[in-house]
Amino acid sequence: MNATIPANALKKKDFASDQDVRWCPGCGDYAILSGVQKAMAEVGAPPHQVAIVSGIGCSSRFPYYMGTYGFHSIHGRAPAIATGVKLANPELHVWVITGDGDGFSIGGNHMLHVLRRNVDLNIILFNNEIYGLTKGQYSPTTEIGHVTPSSPYGSIDQPVIPARFALGAGAGFVARGYDVAKELSALFVEAHAHQGASFVEVLQNCVVFNDGIFEEVANKKTGSDHHIWVKNGEPMIFGKAQDKGIRVSPKTGHLEVVALGDGITEDDLCRHDETNVERAWDLAHMEGGLTAFGVLYRVPGVAYDAAVRQQLADVKAQKGNLTMEELLRQGHTWDV
Amino acid sequence: MNATIPANALKKKDFASDQDVRWCPGCGDYAILSGVQKAMAEVGAPPHQVAIVSGIGCSSRFPYYMGTYGFHSIHGRAPAIATGVKLANPELHVWVITGDGDGFSIGGNHMLHVLRRNVDLNIILFNNEIYGLTKGQYSPTTEIGHVTPSSPYGSIDQPVIPARFALGAGAGFVARGYDVAKELSALFVEAHAHQGASFVEVLQNCVVFNDGIFEEVANKKTGSDHHIWVKNGEPMIFGKAQDKGIRVSPKTGHLEVVALGDGITEDDLCRHDETNVERAWDLAHMEGGLTAFGVLYRVPGVAYDAAVRQQLADVKAQKGNLTMEELLRQGHTWDV
Amino acid sequence: MTATDSNEASGEGQTVTREELDSVVIRFAGDSGDGMQLTGSQFGATSALMGNDLSTFPDYPAEIRAPAGTTYGVSGFQVHFASKDVRTPGDAPDVLVAMNPAALMVNLPQLKPHGVLVINTDAFTKANLKKAGYEANPLEDHSLDAYRLLAVDITKRTLEAVRPHGLSSKNGARCKNVWTLGLLYWLFDRDPAPTTQWLETKFKKKPDIAEANKAALRAGHIFAENTALPNGIHPYTVPKAELPKGTYRSIDGNTAAAYGVVMGAKLAGLPVMYGSYPITPASALLHHLAKLKHMDVTTFQAEDEIAAVCSAIGASFGGALGVTGTSGPGLALKTEAVGLAIGAELPLVIVDVQRGGPSTGLPTKTEQSDLLFAIYGRNGDAPLPVLAAATPGDCFHMAVEAVRIATQFMTPVILLTDGYLANGAEPWKIPDLDAYEPFPVTFQTETENFQPFAHDPETGIRRWVKAGTPGLMYRTGGLEKADGPGNISYDPDNHQAMTTMRADKIARVADSIPEAVIEQGEATGELVYVGWGSTHGAITQAVGQLLGEGHSVSHIHLRYMNPLPKGLERLLRGFKQVVVPEMNNGMLDKVLRAEFLIDAKGVNKVKGLPFQIHELVEDAYQRLGVNHEHSNVIAMGAE
Amino acid sequence: MTATDSNEASGEGQTVTREELDSVVIRFAGDSGDGMQLTGSQFGATSALMGNDLSTFPDYPAEIRAPAGTTYGVSGFQVHFASKDVRTPGDAPDVLVAMNPAALMVNLPQLKPHGVLVINTDAFTKANLKKAGYEANPLEDHSLDAYRLLAVDITKRTLEAVRPHGLSSKNGARCKNVWTLGLLYWLFDRDPAPTTQWLETKFKKKPDIAEANKAALRAGHIFAENTALPNGIHPYTVPKAELPKGTYRSIDGNTAAAYGVVMGAKLAGLPVMYGSYPITPASALLHHLAKLKHMDVTTFQAEDEIAAVCSAIGASFGGALGVTGTSGPGLALKTEAVGLAIGAELPLVIVDVQRGGPSTGLPTKTEQSDLLFAIYGRNGDAPLPVLAAATPGDCFHMAVEAVRIATQFMTPVILLTDGYLANGAEPWKIPDLDAYEPFPVTFQTETENFQPFAHDPETGIRRWVKAGTPGLMYRTGGLEKADGPGNISYDPDNHQAMTTMRADKIARVADSIPEAVIEQGEATGELVYVGWGSTHGAITQAVGQLLGEGHSVSHIHLRYMNPLPKGLERLLRGFKQVVVPEMNNGMLDKVLRAEFLIDAKGVNKVKGLPFQIHELVEDAYQRLGVNHEHSNVIAMGAE
Ligand SMILES: Cc1ncc(C[n+]2csc(CCOP(=O)(O)OP(=O)(O)O)c2C)c(N)n1
Ligand SMILES: Cc1ncc(C[n+]2csc(CCOP(=O)(O)OP(=O)(O)O)c2C)c(N)n1
Ligand code: SF4
Ligand code: SF4
Ligand SMILES: [Mg+2]
Ligand SMILES: [Mg+2]
């Protein structure tokens, strides 16, 4: 249920708590916090109808800074706790805040299951490709070869690609952004609007332990040549000069990056179709240093919690209320 | 390392233990057991160089029936234990036996991580779409609407598609078979040959709690019209009369089932390309009641355990052995 | 079986002289596929309906259907029914029904001397005998001469009976358990009508199967009536027991615990959110609750036990009653999250249906070996109340108590039951629900000076805030919280204060529970047995017997394990010997020793089986220095 | 700081009269970003090199870099260095270095009366004062008059010093901790050379930074030398301590435990497979071991603690030494799998670096609250040995012991350390490695009559079979196993026998460990403190002081928590009062009470901080009935 209050009645600051924000100066988490607060003000969910559940990690300190209900739980378990919150109180807009360690290392199983069940949660994965809070060990999204305290000779674990994992898990909404992107809060608004599990990966800079790994992609100057924001129904063009695009390779049938001109026009480019899961699969991990942002995949579906409520209502409608007395007396009884 | 002994020197029965098999009469597990034993004899791995690790479930009783090393561990954790076995003793061929509950409910996270790390394990998922051992509750692969003791009004959880999950996790070898298929043991031979994590889903009939759910697909009479065995490089033809096939839809770019004839010839059909992950994605879940069997996806890669050993060797080569005495005296020391 | 008197009873149209017994123990044993669990529970249900007191004990292998004919595939079900008070399924059976050689092999050693032995001769094939480990056929080598043998080709008789209903011989033979039930019904004067009804309901959609089974039941009954019974076997009857007046039903511990949770939630005025992951022997809690969607019960089958307990904690945060149930290995997985609920001061009910350990252990067998784990099994100083139910029916009441304490004290509570309670059934007088005092939860709604972690200065309890309440937005979690505002606090004194507060709060639960009492025997004396959980029946019967023999023995039974009830120390000090019978290797004795510095000793049985009465009686003889031979009055004569 | 004598020392070219002290405690405090951990550990390392005995204590917030200027962002590091035996980082600092108002606010209360206070005036801005909660500037309102204040604009001085090296003023200001170090080095007569060297190594790749820091160090040193020190502050010196002869290094508990595991594995003749998941304060175990790939150490950073322990168990099955390390919340997740290792009778070493609980608790603070969890924290009867290290260096030895017991007894072993041991450093005499008796593992290879679960009739221990050995293929797991063949067994008597065997085997570990001893004091007397783990230092110093004062106090320190060492009961009975100081709410006292029925009492501190010596001394006064005022000799004079 999306209880809303008149647009513009709520301001970003209505979603801030009275606690000092304790992230390192320069941490990408600040921008994401701001993006979420802005999105909440925009959708107009009153703060008391919002619950934010997180695990453990720098990113998972998030709820303390929101003037909403918040549960900074235990490592990796936020999706499971959030499921309980949503089942107990369907009126709440429930957000899950997690990190690449919290959500994909220890918490991978719960992530799988909320996505496949399609619980109506808005999940933001802060992907800084590192364990921040425990001081910089490599994470399941860290690139091979990374030297960290726990991989002094370079990590050898093949990283998981969160968006592909989400697709493989059967997610109905998969999006990606980056911490300082101006489009970020709009992405959260979309996630909020989606009924069912919305998975949003946000590339996030950890200034202390992994500074600059997304620099090329997220940098104001170079970024637009290394990323594309996809929009449903629109051709996939990008580049500072809007001179590059993505088309379906006539050879392989897969997405490939092409330069416009030289016989290739906008009409040759692929138009983004949010409901096309194979395209989303390609977009989730493009070759050649290109990163796709935006809603990569979105299909409507029945949210798990809605189905639960429906079933409760159906059984009640069909069988009526049962009293405790009746329950105990069901089946064989006898008098002495 | 694949220590082998002369072909035909080993027989299927060399891989049987002295324990009575305790599955229900008619259970699909018997056929899979036989398939594994046959495959092992074929590849000629001596029984003492094979270790089979399982979790908990009917399927997970498997190791007791093999005359190899076996570890019937705890629920969901077989991939993690198997990783340790392989790291400790790389000579061993390590197999993981798991069920849809064991491997995808409680054990989903470890499954994700052995697949993405590409640990050289051969993983067989016994998918009977039910929790057998605990007497018939629905599992993460159970279809929506199934009535079980824990879903008396029908289950409402969207099931996970194991092969898609495996692809999303970054697996390099994804295959599928069914319990009584004659091709099954050959599939295990392929899994064995693959360096890195091999994921084989086997549709398995549970005669007691989920009898007949794969009947249409696996039945001797009707099966060939409802399933296809894909072979690398070969056109995708199927049907008792070999009159149906799969092609790339000119409209959507996705795989679709077509009838041969009426202008559609074998040449129009898609040829299976094991290395094409998007095709594998499509094959993992075809519309219209068709189930694809065989090696859906296979790409070479570096096995995690091989990389670990390489790194150990590299550091040793580079730094030489370090004695305990030297270790303790590294850095600042002073004499009193 | 204890003979009392002879009387006349009328069989179908015919007058039969029946020997009156006041107590009979029957064990049904056969292959996992032989339907022994159904047979036994039908016999029990019928006996309950007929007014006997009873206790049942299912004992089955962990395999779903172990290979036919093997000893490890034997499934057993013991029924103890009587015209007097019954607290245990009985030590040794008076009657053993063995459907095959393996069942005989496994169970014969327990049969009473000269006991009744019902055997399906058809199953005594060479192959089956070999599988069971018999060198010779016991039906032929006189090795069973010491028993009263009723050997029948049950399969053949059953097939004859069901033939008119057109079943395949495979399906037809499946009715042999019901045929056997018919035979025993006649032998023990049971009314077949409830079973007939039950068959009709169960096979509503397969009328041919229903009819075949009904025919088998009748045929077994008629066979017994018309056959000359072997020497020493007469028709028997077991009169009604004198039970307190009321309406009764049969109940097992899992059903009772599930219903108790719902009752507790009603008293608290809360909806239930039960998050669980199936595990033997706790799965039935989920099955029962899943049926109660029309009683404000939501069930969530989670992906594992961690998600299960976490979903329950989330539900409590959202203002529902979060409940989770499991067995040992699952409890192990929940420990971290239970600590979170302690830190966040949220209500949570955890039902642990104990089974044999360590690790996977003996999944279908009973044990009490999670006690210390329940009390101490969390990182950090993480105290919580631990309760334990004593009988199947008591699971209802103790579940209500668990809900009361969890919601009133804002704490997780562990309720311990075990496999024996969970699966064992007893006739249960349906309690007067109006006698239960409601304990409605009043959520915090007051926004003025709101502090989410303000603790009542008297009780140390914080008010429950339902996420979603206007104006009370707050943040919580597993980090230490500042007393009052609840923000993260690393302050040393605050941590000390909060640790003390958490400990004191749990200690104060003792103020809200009944004081310790002597259940049987004098208030002071030579020996007191201090039991907890499902040893209740065996201790009660053993102490009853010992008291009858004039020994100075008493019985205290604990239902509140942490904190311990008030007055316990004083009671214990009234006895020269304090002895703790437990189905574990020694746990409650440790607790009592540490708490009271009393030299409590254990009687420990770790066999996956409940205590037998004689085991405790003999233990008492030894401790009391009673001459064993002399006093051995426990072997109840079969004739 | 305890003055002893005055002597002459020579500063750079100049002769200085230095007051000789035998012990000084300095606390460095500043923002998380101020580099206080580095400063403190450099000071400690230098003092160690100079022959002092010392003990250090880092105390930092859980946030990586909490916002500048806040009180909860204050990071502290205390160094206690002396010419005599030092066992704790000291109660109250003699010297407080406060880099900003928040550091002053948080730490001033602990500074000794009339202590030395070094302050960076630059940080005392209006904004910072407000953030720290000061209404007025303490530098101006005479509130610091009771201390010996050395207020310097450190930032400005540092910037001046580093200017020639072309750093931005942001980067330049970062050197202010090193400038401060220079100042203190002069004040306490420390040799700057080791730090200069260290800077060169650390910033090898950034020579400008290295040079800037070196310049700052020099500048601080010169500043102190050339400045007229305020009233009451003289140059000091702390002579070498008399330490046993040998080669020394500085070691913290995590390094020692990591190296001890490797040492144990060498003695056992096994490769190490360390499976772990990072968690504060245990992560450094993984970091250290990950560097030792050339010492037959494989490390596996698992996806969670469950996978971590499972990988270690798998490794043991495969014939390597499976080891895992974690802290409380991680131990909680490992419990189920530890039970498996018990059931499968496989060696496994688990290092638990305890931290503040419950739940996430106080992740960077120390506590001893996992003791009962370690002993009892598993479903079923699942006993295992529990060890505890007493000092950072002792972690080495106890890790060796853990490996020995795990491999010799085929059992998981839990080694308890804590955050204080893990992070605290002490000078450590490198042990004579040849003095360690090897305990080589001999794997089973004999195929004749092979039974994987054959137990030595004397010891109850099974032989380790390395998966991969020809002819010994066997199956194991978590279900109960038949004694001998190891096949699944639901047999009641077998379960009883196996449960007893498992318990007896662990009990017999007591035969292989040192008997209990009195560490300090007489063998009988009025009061004995029974400590375990990191309380060792505080108890030792406190008992030392009390003995010096002539009180009847003794000290027993336990390193083996389960089973307890032999002879302990006899020792305890020699005292009127048995008192257990613990950084938890009362755990070991429960164990002693249950075991020996001795009225052990607890002194409990749950503040995330180690005991201070005076806390224990005062506790003893009270218990001994000593007049407190009179005996209060603990406030060591600053002058
Ligand atoms: C059970 C448990 N295991 C381990 C930890 C330690 N831990 C805390 S946060 C964290 C990883 C955080 O990484 P990520 O989720 O990426 O968050 P970030 O700090 O990078 O935002 C770990 C390993 C813990 N708190 N609890
Ligand atoms: C920690 C834990 N939780 C739950 C269980 C109970 N349990 C045993 S097997 C099983 C599910 C088995 O399902 P699956 O893996 O599909 O195996 P199947 O029996 O169908 O072959 C469950 C829930 C357990 N043994 N341990
Ligand atoms: S350590 Fe990294 S992720 Fe954590 S707060 Fe600092 S910059 Fe952000
Ligand atoms: S319950 Fe099902 S899966 Fe299990 S052994 Fe029986 S038939 Fe097989
Ligand atoms: Mg991260
Ligand atoms: Mg299954």
Side-chain angles (χ1 to χ4, degrees), chain D residues 191-534:
Chain D
D191 178 4
T195 298
T196 305
Q197 258 172 40
W198 178 82
L199 287 167
E200 277 166 359
T201 319
K202 186 172 161 81
F203 297 113
K204 204 162 24 188
K205 288 186 190 144
K206 298 177 183 164
D208 52 336
I209 306 236
E211 288 310 315
N213 273 295
K214 280 158 65 183
L217 186 70
R218 258 192 322 272
H221 205 265
I222 294 171
F223 173 88
E225 192 172 354
N226 297 335
T227 305
L229 291 170
N231 214 2
I233 308 189
H234 327 290
Y236 305 98
T237 190
V238 177
K240 283 190 178 192
E242 283 208 27
L243 295 166
K245 274 207 183 328
T247 303
Y248 282 73
R249 57 166 290 162
S250 170
I251 204 149
D252 61 57
N254 275 341
T255 308
Y259 291 1
V261 161
V262 180
M263 177 71 189
K266 298 254 172 266
L267 294 170
L270 297 172
V272 173
M273 211 308 283
Y274 184 76
S276 188
Y277 183 67
I279 185 166
T280 306
S283 306
L285 293 167
L286 172 62
H287 305 167
H288 291 302
L289 289 166
K291 286 190 209 125
L292 303 183
K293 302 213 184 301
H294 44 332
M295 293 189 79
D296 285 328
V297 176
T298 302
T299 54
F300 170 58
Q301 180 176 307
E303 57 271 25
D304 62 14
E305 284 87 353
I306 301 177
V309 66
C310 284
S311 70
I313 294 172
S316 284
F317 180 72
L321 176 68
V323 183
T324 188
T326 190
S327 188
L331 187 64
L333 290 168
K334 291 179 201 282
T335 54
E336 190 202 4
V338 174
L340 174 65
I342 293 174
E345 299 173 42
L346 283 170
L348 171 69
V349 172
I350 305 138
V351 184
D352 175 24
V353 186
Q354 299 166 96
R355 67 187 213 185
S359 192
T360 313
L362 296 171
T364 58
K365 309 287 173 186
T366 195
E367 206 160 282
Q368 299 184 296
S369 50
D370 293 348
L371 177 63
L372 292 175
F373 186 32
I375 300 179
Y376 297 123
R378 285 159 299 280
N379 59 298
D381 285 297
L384 55 68
V386 178
L387 315 184
T391 66
D394 193 37
C395 292
F396 180 81
H397 179 69
M398 293 314 293
V400 172
E401 278 292 275
V403 176
R404 180 182 66 79
I405 294 171
T407 53
Q408 298 296 299
F409 289 82
M410 296 294 284
T411 178
V413 173
I414 295 180
L415 170 60
L416 296 173
T417 73
D418 62 29
Y420 172 55
L421 294 176
N423 294 323
E426 63 176 12
W428 184 57
K429 182 164 173 271
I430 297 175
D432 175 8
L433 298 181
D434 295 336
Y436 277 94
E437 188 82 44
F439 40 84
V441 165
T442 51
F443 288 105
Q444 173 76 289
T445 52
E446 192 52 67
T447 56
E448 208 156 328
N449 295 326
F450 169 62
Q451 290 212 325
F453 280 80
H455 295 99
D456 181 303
E458 296 278 293
T459 63
I461 299 167
R462 81 166 180 115
R463 288 284 297 279
W464 194 353
V465 179
K466 180 175 176 158
T469 310
L472 299 185
M473 292 78 73
Y474 80 107
R475 275 67 54 190
T476 185
L479 285 167
E480 186 60 285
K481 279 157 287 293
D483 197 351
N487 299 321
I488 301 174
S489 167
Y490 305 139
D491 178 66
D493 292 327
N494 178 74
H495 183 49
Q496 178 81 61
M498 291 290 275
T499 302
T500 308
M501 180 279 293
R502 285 186 288 260
D504 289 352
K505 176 175 89 166
I506 302 308
R508 269 191 294 269
V509 168
D511 297 339
S512 86
I513 63 174
E515 287 206 11
V517 293
I518 305 275
E519 274 201 27
Q520 292 170 284
E522 300 295 320
T524 59
E526 182 58 38
L527 171 64
V528 63
Y529 281 111
V530 186
W532 68 279
S534 75

Side-chain angles (χ1 to χ4, degrees), chain A residues 56 58-59 75 99-102 128 130-134, chain C residues 336, chain D residues 278 305:
Chain A
I56 302 284
C58 293
S59 33
H75 199 29
D100 43 320
D102 189 65
N128 56 10
I130 209 83
Y131 296 162
L133 190 67
T134 49
Chain C
E336 190 202 5
Chain D
E305 284 87 353

Side-chain angles (χ1 to χ4, degrees), chain B residues 57-328:
Chain B
C58 293
S59 33
S60 289
R61 291 292 181 94
F62 194 97
Y64 292 114
Y65 312 134
M66 294 287 299
T68 64
Y69 283 94
F71 204 152
H72 172 232
S73 71
I74 45 177
H75 199 30
R77 314 306 172 188
I81 293 187
T83 299
V85 174
K86 187 76 188 172
L87 288 176
N89 198 341
E91 310 277 308
L92 290 171
H93 305 283
V94 184
W95 293 72
V96 170
I97 303 291
T98 185
D100 44 321
D102 189 65
F104 274 88
S105 193
I106 193 167
N109 201 33
H110 311 304
M111 189 62 86
L112 159 63
H113 289 282
V114 287
L115 293 179
R116 78 159 176 94
R117 282 193 197 105
N118 203 27
V119 186
D120 190 13
L121 305 173
N122 307 308
I123 303 165
I124 310 180
L125 173 82
F126 289 44
N127 187 2
N128 56 10
E129 298 190 359
I130 209 81
Y131 295 162
L133 191 66
T134 49
K135 307 206 166 166
Q137 300 85 1
Y138 66 101
S139 91
T141 57
T142 303
E143 290 302 324
I144 287 183
H146 212 61
V147 171
T148 74
S150 58
S151 56
Y153 302 106
S155 101
I156 55 182
D157 291 41
Q158 175 182 300
V160 67
I161 296 155
R164 285 204 169 161
F165 171 87
L167 293 170
F173 181 103
V174 179
R176 191 190 279 139
Y178 62 93
D179 45 13
V180 294
K182 63 177 186 332
E183 298 86 345
L184 195 63
S185 89
L187 220 50
F188 297 148
V189 172
E190 301 284 345
H192 167 86
H194 180 75
Q195 308 278 326
S198 322
F199 177 82
V200 186
E201 176 191 9
V202 182
L203 307 186
Q204 174 246 324
N205 192 39
C206 169
V207 289
V208 175
F209 297 112
N210 222 5
D211 197 23
I213 42 157
F214 302 120
E215 186 64 16
E216 199 178 64
V217 166
N219 180 292
K220 275 213 178 123
K221 286 193 205 128
T222 60
S224 48
D225 280 332
H226 292 93
H227 73 229
I228 178 169
W229 282 88
V230 293
K231 283 221 184 81
N232 200 27
E234 295 192 9
M236 298 182 180
I237 301 190
F238 70 102
K240 209 179 307 175
Q242 293 287 296
D243 55 350
K244 292 187 269 284
I246 298 177
R247 67 166 183 182
V248 179
S249 158
K251 269 200 237 137
T252 65
H254 295 311
L255 298 184
E256 65 177 8
V257 171
V258 287
L260 288 177
D262 237 355
I264 299 183
T265 71
E266 213 181 286
D267 287 347
D268 297 320
L269 298 184
C270 186
R271 279 177 186 273
H272 183 44
D273 170 8
E274 284 179 352
T275 66
N276 185 327
V277 68
E278 284 82 4
R279 292 276 175 275
W281 177 272
D282 277 2
L283 285 171
H285 191 65
M286 296 290 295
E287 300 294 316
L290 181 70
T291 302
F293 293 116
V295 179
L296 308 185
Y297 183 61
R298 164 159 49 188
V299 285
V302 180
Y304 174 78
D305 42 301
V308 167
R309 290 195 307 277
Q310 189 59 50
Q311 198 170 63
L312 287 171
D314 289 350
V315 174
K316 228 174 209 168
Q318 199 190 316
K319 305 204 159 192
N321 275 319
L322 189 70
T323 67
M324 207 56 221
E325 200 69 53
E326 286 161 354
L327 173 66
L328 294 184

Side-chain angles (χ1 to χ4, degrees), chain A residues 20-21 61 75 105 138 150, chain D residues 63 67 72 277 287 301 303:
Chain A
D20 293 339
V21 182
R61 291 292 181 94
H75 199 29
S105 194
Y138 67 100
S150 57
Chain D
E63 289 79 15
Y72 53 79
Y277 183 67
H287 305 167
Q301 180 176 307
E303 57 271 25

Side-chain angles (χ1 to χ4, degrees), chain A residues 23-24 27 29 58 128 132 204-209, chain D residues 64:
Chain A
W23 290 308
C24 304
C27 176
D29 292 357
C58 293
N128 56 10
Q204 173 246 324
N205 193 39
C206 169
V207 289
V208 175
F209 297 112
Chain D
I64 297 304

Side-chain angles (χ1 to χ4, degrees), chain C residues 345 455 460 480-483 491-505 508, chain D residues 585 605-607:
Chain C
E345 299 173 42
H455 296 98
E480 186 59 286
K481 280 157 286 293
D483 197 351
D491 179 67
D493 293 325
N494 178 74
H495 182 48
Q496 179 80 62
M498 291 289 276
T499 301
T500 309
M501 179 279 293
R502 285 186 287 261
D504 290 352
K505 177 176 90 167
R508 268 192 294 269
Chain D
N585 216 16
K605 175 169 180 177
V606 196
K607 298 192 174 196

Side-chain angles (χ1 to χ4, degrees), chain C residues 85-135:
Chain C
D85 221 20
V86 155
R87 301 301 180 101
T88 80
D91 286 6
D94 299 296
V95 180
L96 171 64
V97 176
M99 299 302 279
N100 70 2
L104 185 68
M105 182 58 123
V106 171
N107 290 290
L108 189 65
Q110 284 108 63
L111 182 61
K112 281 214 186 123
H114 206 46
V116 172
L117 189 51
V118 179
I119 277 184
N120 177 17
T121 56
D122 175 63
F124 280 63
T125 60
K126 266 228 177 89
N128 278 348
L129 286 163
K130 200 178 147 211
K131 265 195 224 166
Y134 278 111
E135 314 236 306

